Amino acid sequence: MGHYIQVEENVKIHVEDIGSGQPVVFLHGWPLNNKAFEYQTSLLAKNGFRYIGVDMRGYGKSDKPWSGYDYDTMAKDLEAVVNELRLEQFVLAGFSMGGPIAIRYLTKFGQDNVAKLLLMGAAAPIFTQRDDFNVGMKPEEVDDIIAQIEKDRPAFLAEFADLFFEQKHSPQFLDWFQSLALEAGAHSTLNSAVALRDEDLRGELSSITVPTAIFHGKKDQICPYELGEILDKEIPNSVLVPFKDSGHGINADEPERFNNELLSFLKSSGV
């Protein structure tokens, strides 16, 4: 079933809420929405978990305001969802851009209510290179992406799909993937790209105390595997799970292994 949750005046967030049991809150990547996890939704419900799929502001069925695409506001939106649904001892699962937003939620709003953290192909601790950080895209490359989106968003998204996956997928699947991205607001897509380019979570990782699993594709061309290694090194109670045949979209490139590892992590007593 779907909920619309008021996060601020004139802004509602859409949330899919399926199954019962321990809640697992999924935060999607840029520029998708919670439907990107449709192959996990039934899996969780069948195995005694409650799937909570958040369409972040600007994406999917959520409202698409002009502003609020920084990580602080996105994390605050998540807090409103958690409070409204009265979620307790939930698992927080962030994919790509959803990864840093999950981290910011923990460090800004506390970890007492979170049982575990799952980071999947996370765009963290930083998505772009700095003078003292040489992993990931250069800021100018993100500026180029912004320019391409402003010129022809559908064409850019078609190319982005090619980068996203390592394995071959059907043309229909790639069309579906692009259709998810086209549900986003154009301005939302651009403003989130700015956040991805500029935000920095390096000082926040060591304070995360919940058991954490880091799923990352070895062949990820969007968030390099080295980011997963950095997260594993900096987050105290973490385990890194490499997906050797996957690009960025690990749940589609290695679906069976992804689902097995997901259930194994959810059912474990800790890391």
Side-chain angles (χ1 to χ4, degrees), residues 145-172:
I145 286 171
I146 289 169
Q148 288 180 58
I149 293 168
E150 287 176 329
K151 184 181 170 199
D152 187 338
R153 186 164 66 119
F156 166 77
L157 292 170
E159 287 174 26
F160 188 63
D162 288 340
L163 264 185
F164 209 87
F165 303 106
E166 177 66 23
Q167 300 303 319
K168 191 162 171 50
H169 296 279
S170 70
Q172 293 84 354

Side-chain angles (χ1 to χ4, degrees), residues 180-246:
L180 300 189
L182 285 167
E183 287 180 37
H187 60 282
S188 314
T189 305
L190 293 166
N191 288 334
S192 289
V194 170
L196 280 162
R197 183 191 67 197
D198 296 347
E199 299 254 14
D200 184 346
L201 294 91
R202 279 180 292 179
E204 300 172 42
L205 302 176
S206 60
S207 66
I208 294 172
T209 55
V210 298
T212 302
I214 298 155
F215 291 8
H216 218 107
K218 295 280 286 210
K219 296 174 178 174
D220 195 326
Q221 294 184 68
I222 292 167
C223 295
Y225 182 71
E226 290 89 335
L227 289 177
E229 293 178 317
I230 292 164
L231 291 170
D232 185 39
K233 191 165 150 236
E234 297 290 334
I235 296 173
N237 191 9
S238 65
V239 60
L240 176 59
V241 181
F243 286 77
K244 67 178 174 51
D245 297 321
S246 286

Side-chain angles (χ1 to χ4, degrees), residues 89-211:
Q89 290 306 302
F90 62 94
V91 178
L92 185 53
F95 171 72
S96 196
M97 178 182 76
I101 292 164
I103 291 167
R104 179 60 55 82
Y105 171 84
L106 291 177
T107 57
K108 195 174 171 75
F109 297 106
Q111 305 173 54
D112 293 350
N113 210 9
V114 179
K116 296 174 187 170
L117 173 66
L118 173 58
L119 299 171
M120 305 164 282
I126 323 182
F127 183 63
T128 53
Q129 295 181 24
R130 302 286 193 275
D131 290 343
D132 58 350
F133 192 84
N134 63 359
V135 179
M137 286 190 191
K138 295 186 169 74
E140 310 82 73
E141 291 178 276
V142 179
D143 292 338
D144 182 52
I145 286 171
I146 289 169
Q148 288 180 58
I149 293 168
E150 287 176 329
K151 184 181 170 199
D152 187 338
R153 186 164 66 119
F156 166 77
L157 292 170
E159 287 174 26
F160 188 63
D162 288 340
L163 264 185
F164 209 87
F165 303 106
E166 177 66 23
Q167 300 303 319
K168 191 162 171 50
H169 296 279
S170 70
Q172 293 84 354
F173 176 87
L174 295 175
D175 287 346
W176 169 77
F177 173 84
Q178 287 164 244
S179 77
L180 300 189
L182 285 167
E183 287 180 37
H187 60 282
S188 314
T189 305
L190 293 166
N191 288 334
S192 289
V194 170
L196 280 162
R197 183 191 67 197
D198 296 347
E199 299 254 14
D200 184 346
L201 294 91
R202 279 180 292 179
E204 300 172 42
L205 302 176
S206 60
S207 66
I208 294 172
T209 55
V210 298

